Structure formats: structure tokens, C-alpha cells
Amino acid sequence: MLISFLTVFFLVSRGIRAMSGNSERTFIMIKPDGVHRGLVGKIVQRFEEKGFKLVSMKFMWASDDLLAKHYADLSSKPFFGGLVKYMSSGPIVPMVWEGLNVVKTGRVMLGATNPADSAPGTIRGDYCVQVGRNICHGSDSVESAQKEINLWFTEKEQIGWTPAQKEWVYED
Ligand code: DAT
Ligand code: MG
């Protein structure tokens, strides 16, 4: 009983620590249109140049099953079928990025969901036109980031490393 309590406490505190402050993590994914349109490098470059740290990245073709899990919250929406079909129509690039406020800042960098409302200078504002082809995904909260990271990447695929630029990005 005590051991299981301690185990749960350890795992929860580890999870919270891993997702706060400079170590906050978000799940960013380049969608099939971003890949087909040759925008992988440009999107990755924006996160690198901002000063965020790449933790995980892969190139894969996702199954309907995995995508339905990823978008489970939207399963009752009329566009859900089309969304899964689009997301499974080609390869994608799921990634984990780390840094201070990376969840919120990542969403700002992506721009509004509908590219018609995305400000110029954001990824969606600069590179796409229609909501059903909005080229990238970003977690909307620290909690959903945690869920999405664990859905797409194993613990082993989340690489622990210290970028050489760390002390030039953070004062502490
Ligand atoms: P976001 O991707 O900005 O978090 P969301 O979670 O509300 O937005 O929706 C997930 C994706 O579903 C979104 O990136 C594009 C698609 N989508 C959202 N609203 C849509 C709509 N009204 N018509 C078609 N696709 C839509
Ligand atoms: Mg969303």
C-alpha cells in the first residue's frame, strides 16, 4: 500500500516537474500538407531559432486508429471524418519541443486554427489558406501536451540533452 502510494507520488511529481518552467513540453506535428508542400524545414527552423529545444521527432504515416485517439475530443464534430482522412492521407512529422511557456508560445507561433484569422508572421498565417489544410498541430494546454506526447512517443524516444546554447537562452 505504502509502496504503491510512493510509486504514484514519484511518478506524478516527476511528470509535473518534467512539464513546468524551462522544462515545459509541447507536442507539435507537421500535417500531410506541410510535408507535401516542403515546409518541414521551415517549421522546424522557427522552433529552433526561437530557442526551444527539440526532444523528439519522427517521420511516419499514422493509422486512423492513432489519429482517432489523438483527436478523440473532436469525435462528435461534423468535420471529424474529414479530419482523420486528411491526417492519414500522407506522412506527418510529430515532434516534442521543450522550453519556458512552450505550450502557449507554440500556439502563438502556429497562429489561429483557421488560417483566415491567423496573423501574418505566424506559421498558418504565412503558409496556408483553409482550416481543413492548416499544415500543423500544437497542443492547447500543458495537460493535453502531456497526453499527446505519451500517445506519440515512448519515454525512450524523448531525448534528454542540454543544448550548447542553453545559458544564452535562459538566465537561470
Ligand atoms: P487546433 O488545431 O488549432 O488546436 P482544434 O483542436 O479545434 O484546432 O481542431 C483540430 C483540427 O481540426 C484543426 O487544426 C483543423 C480541424 N478543424 C477545426 N475546426 C474545423 C472546421 N470548422 N472545419 C474543418 N476542420 C476543422
Ligand atoms: Mg486542438
Side-chain angles (χ1 to χ4, degrees):
M1 176 71 188
L2 181 66
I3 292 185
S4 52
F5 174 78
L6 288 173
T7 309
V8 169
F9 178 77
F10 172 75
L11 289 174
V12 168
S13 61
R14 208 168 149 252
I16 290 169
R17 211 177 42 229
M19 298 298 292
S20 62
N22 299 358
S23 306
E24 184 174 300
R25 289 180 177 181
T26 194
F27 178 73
I28 301 290
M29 175 162 55
I30 304 172
K31 299 181 178 183
D33 44 344
V35 173
H36 273 285
R37 294 181 50 207
L39 296 170
V40 173
K42 286 205 163 90
I43 294 169
V44 170
Q45 186 175 11
R46 289 191 181 215
F47 283 85
E48 278 188 316
E49 287 182 347
K50 174 73 179 167
F52 290 135
K53 173 181 135 182
L54 183 62
V55 170
S56 308
M57 173 158 71
K58 56 188 165 189
F59 182 59
M60 62 181 282
W61 200 313
S63 66
D64 286 8
D65 185 46
L66 180 56
L67 291 163
K69 279 188 191 140
H70 174 79
Y71 282 124
D73 291 356
L74 301 173
S75 59
S76 61
K77 299 280 184 194
F79 57 82
F80 180 74
L83 176 62
V84 172
K85 195 168 169 222
Y86 150 56
M87 291 299 297
S88 64
S89 68
I92 53 175
V93 181
M95 299 174 278
V96 178
W97 287 90
E98 183 179 290
L100 187 62
N101 294 320
V102 70
V103 172
K104 185 166 173 251
T105 305
R107 293 279 292 188
V108 173
M109 290 166 66
L110 258 53
T113 303
N114 188 338
D117 304 321
S118 317
T122 65
I123 295 168
R124 287 165 173 165
D126 287 351
Y127 297 127
C128 56
V129 172
Q130 211 179 11
V131 69
R133 296 289 182 272
N134 66 357
I135 69 168
C136 51
H137 165 86
S139 308
D140 62 10
S141 68
V142 170
E143 291 71 35
S144 52
Q146 179 98 66
K147 260 195 249 165
E148 291 170 1
I149 290 167
N150 291 331
L151 178 65
W152 289 89
F153 291 100
T154 64
E155 189 115 341
K156 261 192 155 177
E157 289 171 325
Q158 298 170 45
I159 308 302
W161 65 293
T162 305
Q165 64 174 0
K166 180 173 173 274
E167 63 191 285
W168 302 105
V169 175
Y170 297 104
E171 58 183 333
D172 49 26

